[in-house]
Each structure stands twice: as structure tokens, then as C-alpha cells.
Amino acid sequence: MGIVSWLVLGLIAGVIAKVLLPGRDPGGLVGTTLIGIAGSFIGGWLSTRVLDRPIPKDFYDPSMWVAAIAGALVLLIAYRLLFGNSRDRR
């Protein structure tokens, strides 16, 4: 997969993560999109290193989609834990 495929996968993974984890995010749509892209890269990297899976050449490989969405979910949860309530505190 090329870099453009990873970016598209990250965008879609970010949207899916947002649908699975609704609510207000401190970064809005742009922040969620960037978290999705970063999550897809991190999820893909971790699946190749930890699970010892090769990087697939096919864009439609289900294991890569699961890894990208899981990475986006983990980053979105971490982002909400770190920065989620910063606007609400007074």
C-alpha cells in the first residue's frame, strides 16, 4: 500500500472511530481526522511488529482495517482523556 492509501484508510478509520465513539472532541472534525490518520499508521505499525503480520499489499485486507480502526479508537480515547474536559473546567 502506498502513502495515499494509508491516508485514505486513516480518514475512513477516523470517521468509523468517531461513529463508534460519539461525543464532543476538543479538536473537532480536523482533530478527529488527524487522530484517525495517526491511528491507522500506529495500528498498522503495531500489527506488523507485535502480531508479526506482514504489511498487506491489498487495500481491502480486513486485518489492516481492524488495526487502523483500533489504533484510531485508542488514540481518540487517549486524546479525550488528556484534553477532553479542558474547556469545561473553570
Side-chain angles (χ1 to χ4, degrees):
M1 285 182 22
I3 191 75
V4 175
S5 297
W6 279 99
L7 290 174
V8 170
L9 178 64
L11 289 171
I12 296 170
V15 169
I16 292 171
K18 180 67 176 167
V19 168
L20 292 175
L21 197 65
R24 290 188 52 148
D25 291 323
L29 181 64
V30 174
T32 303
T33 303
L34 293 175
I35 287 173
I37 293 170
S40 73
F41 279 102
I42 291 172
W45 180 78
L46 283 175
S47 82
T48 60
R49 297 293 182 210
V50 175
L51 301 176
D52 197 29
R53 295 188 52 92
I55 296 175
K57 303 290 185 214
D58 188 17
F59 183 73
Y60 300 105
D61 184 33
S63 64
M64 191 52 62
W65 280 89
V66 169
I69 293 169
L73 279 171
V74 168
L75 282 182
L76 186 59
I77 290 170
Y79 184 68
R80 283 185 181 179
L81 288 175
L82 292 174
F83 303 109
N85 297 328
S86 62
R87 289 190 215 167
D88 296 337
R89 293 183 194 150
R90 293 179 191 222

